[in-house]
Amino acid sequence: MLFKRGRAFTIVEMLLVISLITLLISMLMPALGKSRRAARAMLCSSQAAQLTWAVQQFVDQNQGKMFPFIHLPKMYWIGRVLPYLNDDDRILICPETTGNSGGLGNAHLNWGPIGGWGDNKAGSYGMNLWLLSVGDYSNDPNMIQAGYHRNLDHTPSDTPVFGDSQWVGAWPDDIDTWPTNTITPPNSHLRGFFMSRFCIDRHDEAINVSFRDGSARRVRLRDLWQLKWHRTFIPGDPK
């Protein structure tokens, strides 16, 4: 019995199929990229919450008191919280960042690694330093004593604790101005500029922020001025 041979694809038909497949892939790629970014942002939010959890563990073991602000190895917040996270320094790194800066970070790069008081670590998050007693900055005229929450157990549940940041921490205030850019904001250790350290375009014009109650969420950059960073902070719009 004879079988008829099937008609083979022509070159034109093969090219048409390849073109259709390429078109479908090009249509799917943005959606896949967006899904990956969303997954990375979710992991980042979880890590910020874990850092807050570690701070709470320290506080629970120290009669509700926070550690002071001290620039010494194992004494800064990095060295204080990592023991409660099994010393897993990967938690310090947002999955959306692409590498280390060697110094001040930005929207895409981590700060550090920092030697000495930074325990040779790099990271993506900064702490709300209003939560710490002044310590090494007790004689700094830029520090406002009225803003501090020295006892975390008495701190309102909606107080920010950690957030995506270009540096290890800051003292955001309601007088702080909008930065000249949100990729590599100017960094200044002066009142009026501290919010810039958190105001980085890391998650589509937003950052992840964790709060005193253990929650964490995405906060738009302009809404950072709406958060209650310290007890005398007056929420409002950027200056």
Side-chain angles (χ1 to χ4, degrees):
M1 182 177 179
L2 298 176
F3 293 93
K4 292 182 179 181
R5 296 179 62 185
R7 186 174 68 85
F9 283 109
T10 67
I11 293 178
V12 172
E13 289 172 331
M14 290 183 66
L15 290 175
L16 179 60
V17 171
I18 292 172
S19 298
L20 288 172
I21 292 173
T22 302
L23 177 61
L24 288 172
I25 291 174
S26 66
M27 293 173 64
L28 288 172
M29 285 303 292
L32 291 173
K34 187 175 181 178
S35 296
R36 292 192 188 100
R37 289 196 302 273
R40 290 194 294 267
M42 186 176 297
L43 178 57
C44 172
S45 180
S46 172
Q47 291 179 176
Q50 289 180 67
L51 291 172
T52 296
W53 177 87
V55 169
Q56 184 61 55
Q57 296 306 300
F58 176 94
V59 169
D60 289 345
Q61 295 182 10
N62 289 273
Q63 294 75 51
K65 295 180 180 179
M66 287 291 292
F67 39 85
F69 196 110
I70 299 177
H71 283 102
L72 287 174
K74 305 297 183 182
M75 299 295 284
Y76 197 63
W77 72 256
I78 302 165
R80 299 282 194 170
V81 303
L82 282 181
Y84 295 96
L85 298 167
N86 297 318
D87 289 313
D88 186 356
D89 58 6
R90 292 175 298 179
I91 293 175
L92 299 175
I93 305 295
C94 170
E96 194 64 38
T97 56
T98 58
N100 301 333
S101 66
L104 189 70
N106 58 42
H108 308 302
L109 295 176
N110 306 310
W111 46 257
I114 301 171
W117 57 268
D119 300 318
N120 297 312
K121 304 297 184 184
S124 313
Y125 308 102
M127 188 176 189
N128 175 11
L129 298 178
W130 290 112
L131 297 169
L132 308 183
S133 57
V134 288
D136 289 348
Y137 286 115
S138 59
N139 296 318
D140 192 324
N142 291 302
M143 301 298 98
I144 306 172
Q145 298 294 325
Y148 288 91
H149 296 295
R150 290 190 174 86
N151 190 314
L152 199 66
D153 286 347
H154 298 164
T155 302
S157 62
D158 60 350
T159 304
V161 182
F162 285 98
D164 285 292
S165 178
Q166 69 170 168
W167 192 233
V168 294
W171 296 267
D173 211 348
D174 48 61
I175 67 168
D176 291 349
T177 58
W178 183 261
T180 53
N181 77 81
T182 57
I183 300 300
T184 308
N187 181 52
S188 175
H189 190 80
L190 291 171
R191 290 191 62 205
F193 298 95
F194 284 122
M195 190 73 83
S196 292
R197 297 182 183 179
F198 289 104
C199 195
I200 55 175
D201 186 5
R202 180 165 291 165
H203 301 290
D204 296 325
E205 298 184 359
I207 64 169
N208 284 309
V209 178
S210 61
F211 298 87
R212 167 68 182 84
D213 63 3
S215 65
R217 60 181 170 87
R218 180 180 182 271
V219 177
R220 295 188 310 164
L221 298 185
R222 289 193 172 275
D223 289 341
L224 292 172
W225 277 260
Q226 296 289 337
L227 305 179
K228 188 76 171 177
W229 290 87
H230 60 75
R231 64 189 179 191
T232 61
F233 191 100
I234 302 174
D237 295 322
K239 301 296 185 289

